Every structure is written in C-alpha cells, then in structure tokens.
C-alpha cells in the first residue's frame, strides 16, 4: 500500500514539473506588424522579441567614431573659476621667471620687516640647523633674503606651496633611496619654481635644470618628441644620483649644492681663489653671481616652508596629489589633445601630468615604454574603451594626411593677437580647436607664447566676425515626423545620449539635429533616428 502511494505521489509531482516548464514557453501567435520608430515607449528601443513577439525594425545606422566625451551641462560657477585659475597656475612660467631673476639679482640690502624680529629668526635658524645637515647659521645676507621673500614674494610662495603638495612626495621617495637629505626637495623650487618645462637662458631644462650633456650622462634621453629632463620621476632619480656623487666628492652639502648649480670646476676654483677655505660663505665672493645667490635662496625657501604656519601662509590644495594619478603604456601614437577630447580632461592638466612630451604627442617606439599619466578617476574609462580610442586615433591620423583646404575654409581664418595671461590651451578652447592644430597652423615647436604675437586660427567656434554671416543664414527646420526623439535631461551629454541608442553616434545626432557644438540645454528635443 505504501509503495503504491509513493509511486502515485511521484507521478503527480513529475506531471506538475513538466506542466510548469511547458507553461513558461509562450504559445506561438501570429506576428504583429513592425512598430514604427515614433511608436516606441519612452524612446527605448525594443530588442527582445521572445516574450511578446513584437519586433522593431530599426534603420541600419553605421556608427561613426567620435571624439566627444561625457560632459556635465552645468557646473558650479565659483568652483569653475577656481579650476580655471589652477590650470593657469599649472601652465604659467611666471613663477620660474621671477625666481630665476631673484636668484641672479639678490642685493642683500637690509629689509624692514618688523613681523620677524632678528632674535626670533636667529632662534628658528638654530632650530633648523639642528634638524638638517646643512650649515644654517644666521648672517645678515641670509636675513635679507628671508625677509625680502616674506615681504615681496608672499603670493608666489603660497602658489609654490600648493604645487609642492604634488611634487614633494615623489621627490622625497627618490632622495631617501639615495640617502640624500629630504630638505634637498626645496632645491627644485630654486632651480625651476616646480615647472617641469622650465628652460633657462643657457638651455638647462626641467624641474632640476639639467643641461643636455649632463642629462645624457645620467640617462635622460632627448629626442624630437620626448625630453626626459622634464619627466618628474626620471629627472628626480637623475638629480639624486648626481647630488650623491657631488657629496662624495666634496663631503659637504653646501658645496655639493653650489657644484650642482655651477659645476664642480667653478667650486674648486672658488676654493683656490679664497685661499683654501671650504665653507660656502667664505668662498661665496669667488663664485659666479648666480651661484653666489643660490644657497641663500635655497635656505630662505627652506626656512619659509618649514615655518609657513608661523608666518600665516595659507596654501590651496591642488586638484589632485601624485598618488591620485596612474600611468598607462600606450600601444599607438596618441596626442594629448585627443586624450583631452575623449576623456574630457582639460589639456592643461594632461600637459602638467605629462610634461616630457615636447610636442604634446606620445610616440609609440619599439622597446620604449612611453606612458600616459592620467587622473585615477579616468584611467578606467581609457582602459575600458581602449580599442575604440585607438581606432579613433587611427582615423584622425588618416585625416591629417590630407591637405589643409579639405578641412578648413580660408574665409573663416582669424588672426589672433596674444594677450597677457594667454596660453595655447585657453586660446584653443576659445575657438573650439586643438592645441596641436594651432601649433601646426603657426609652425610652433613649443607651447611658449609672447604677448603681441599673432596666431592664425581656423575656428570651429567662429567669433564676432562671423556672427553677421550666421545671422543672415535662415535656420534649418528639422522635422521629427516618423522619427524617434529624446528629451535632454540634467547630466546628459551627446556621448551619453548616443550610448542609449545602439548604432547611433554623436556625429549622427549632430547631423540629424543640425547642431555644430556639444552644448545641450535641458528640455531640448533631439532626433535619435534617421
């Protein structure tokens, strides 16, 4: 009896299972007619026809590679202004110019600065001397330089303190590896004002101001595309090696720094001319003028940074620290302005992070590991879309092989006069072009500009000169009948909208809606099918 009952129960259970499985498959019905694009609900394309049998016939649109990236429609005004000022700081050479001039023209005259009594300065210098291997002793010349910097260069020092947040951690790591006093990091401020592309009147280049020959000796290669003297990491390692070698020769850090600036030969000559003295302050009158002001400027900078809080300095935090960036090994030649467009990172930030690329082009050379340094928050975007990015780069390269007239109408040419505060990235944004294009049109091999310099530009964003012509042209009427449309929402960009509709590119949306820029307004209606 029990056996029969179990057998019957098993048969019933199996019948239920098979019944449930069969019911989960829809019964074939007559196919519904295709839905027109304009009948889609909420502008979403239906791609799965297994459930309800509905199929949507969509136009076979070939996606075009496009450089537009995700951009916010709105930004905080004050924050935007702060970012702009920071970008100008990153790419301005004014700090380097003023420091170079101040070091070579120090006068050591008494400075009236009652906020720092001499007795207080003496006590602080004694404290600093106990903490470092440098000979930091009070003298009137050093007092003059410190008070001059505090009185006349306060804003410059605050800006340098902000930049130091990015550079000092990587300096300290390298200096520590070679057993060099960490305070040597302040030397880069005297050398270059923390400008990786700084270049002196005699050709010394980079954060640590290497001459061509010395740089080569310490493994810093220079080519048409790359100048490793401007690479923060490689140049810091080279500087550490050079300083360690100089200390081994002189056995004194003051003399090692003097030799770093003027060369070991000039220091040994000064020792001879002084009658055999080996203290920097005793041989200083016999050193070249610039080197004579070198150590006082270094010690004054060290004092101000070490006692910044006591003097009420307030530094602004940079956009990111060095640890908030990462590198990617490039697989093909790529330009910084292409990366800027694709990842929506300002060109000045990319130039700041990748200063060793002279023409803003990262070459791809066999057996050379050239890298692109990016903010960490966009590294994932690059890696995820790597194939598409390189495909776009290839397409761009093919375009550039064509003659100029095929791309630019000579009637739209603008002659721009460089003003105070201008730099290539700022001008490029104004006219909707790339930095590399401005360089190409004007035969520029560097990013340096002079006030009053004339530049030829073929704008994508015509200025006032073209407003009259555009105003007289009747606006094209776009019909949305029988087409899919999308209403722009907060946070949308052309790129993000194109990703919602398979097979649709940014260029498609621009053409279908007769728009030339990437700017959108909340609430505007866009055609998203042809």
């Amino acid at each position: 009896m029990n056996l029969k009952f179990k057998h019957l129960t098993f048969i019933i259970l199996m019948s239920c299972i098979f019944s449930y499985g069969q019911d989960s498959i829809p019964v074939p019905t007559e196919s519904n007619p295709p839905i027109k694009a304009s009948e889609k609900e909420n502008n979403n394309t239906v791609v799965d026809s297994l459930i309800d049998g509905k199929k949507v016939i969509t136009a076979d649109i070939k996606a075009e590679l496009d450089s537009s990236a995700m951009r916010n429609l709105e930004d905080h005004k004050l924050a935007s202004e702060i970012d702009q000022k920071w970008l100008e700081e990153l790419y301005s050479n004014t700090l380097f110019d003023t420091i170079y001039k101040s070091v070579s023209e120090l006068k050591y005259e008494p400075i009236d600065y009652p906020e720092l009594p001499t007795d207080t300065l003496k006590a602080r210098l004694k404290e600093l001397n106990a903490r470092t291997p440098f000979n930091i002793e009070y003298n009137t010349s050093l007092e003059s330089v410190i008070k001059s910097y505090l009185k006349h260069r306060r804003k410059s020092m605050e800006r340098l303190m902000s930049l130091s947040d990015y550079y000092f951690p990587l300096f300290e790591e390298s200096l520590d590896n070679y057993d060099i006093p960490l305070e040597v990091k302040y030397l880069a401020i005297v050398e270059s004002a923390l400008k990786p592309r700084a270049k002196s009147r005699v050709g010394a280049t980079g954060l640590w101001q290497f001459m061509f020959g010395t740089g080569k000796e310490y493994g810093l290669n220079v080519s048409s595309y790359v100048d490793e003297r401007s690479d923060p990491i490689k140049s810091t390692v080279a500087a550490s090696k050079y300083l360690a070698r100089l200390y081994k020769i002189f056995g004194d850090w003051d003399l090692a720094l003097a030799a770093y600036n003027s060369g070991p030969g000039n220091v040994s000559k000064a020792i001879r001319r002084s009658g055999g003295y080996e203290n920097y302050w005793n041989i200083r009158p016999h050193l070249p003028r610039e080197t004579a002001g070198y150590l006082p400027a270094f010690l004054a900078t060290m004092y101000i940074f070490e006692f910044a809080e006591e003097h009420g300095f307030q530094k602004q935090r940079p956009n990111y620290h060095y640890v908030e960036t990462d590198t990617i090994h490039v697989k093909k030649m790529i330009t910084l302005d292409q990366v800027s467009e694709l990842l929506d990172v300002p060109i000045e930030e990319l130039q700041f992070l990748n200063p060793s690329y002279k023409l803003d082009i990262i070459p791809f050379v066999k057996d050379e590991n050239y890298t692109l340094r990016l903010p960490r928050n966009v590294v994932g975007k690059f890696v995820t879309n790597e194939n598409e990015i390189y495909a776009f780069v290839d397409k761009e390269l093919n375009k550039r092989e064509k003659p100029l007239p095929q791309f630019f109408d000579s009637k739209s040419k603008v002659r721009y006069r460089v003003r105070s505060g201008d730099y290539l990235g700022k001008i490029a944004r104004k006219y909707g072009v790339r930095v590399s294009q401005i360089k190409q049109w004007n035969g520029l091999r560097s990013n340096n500009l002079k006030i009053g310099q004339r530049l030829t530009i073929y704008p994508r964003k015509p200025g006032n000169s073209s407003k009259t012509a555009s105003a007289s042209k009747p606006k094209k009427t776009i019909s949305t009948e029988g087409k899919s449309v999308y209403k722009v929402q907060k946070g949308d960009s052309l790129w993000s909208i194109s990703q919602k509709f398979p097979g649709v590119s940014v260029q498609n949306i621009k053409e279908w809606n007769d728009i030339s820029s990437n700017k959108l307004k909340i609430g505007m209606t866009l055609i998203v099918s042809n």
Side-chain angles (χ1 to χ4, degrees), residues 352-363:
F352 173 72
L353 294 174
N354 302 274
S356 61
Y357 300 113
K358 295 158 70 173
L359 304 177
D360 295 337
I361 297 172
I362 305 176

Side-chain angles (χ1 to χ4, degrees), residues 162-174:
S162 180
L163 279 173
S164 71
D165 274 356
Y166 178 82
Y167 287 112
F168 279 5
L170 72 94
F171 290 171
E172 290 171 344
E173 182 180 358
S174 181

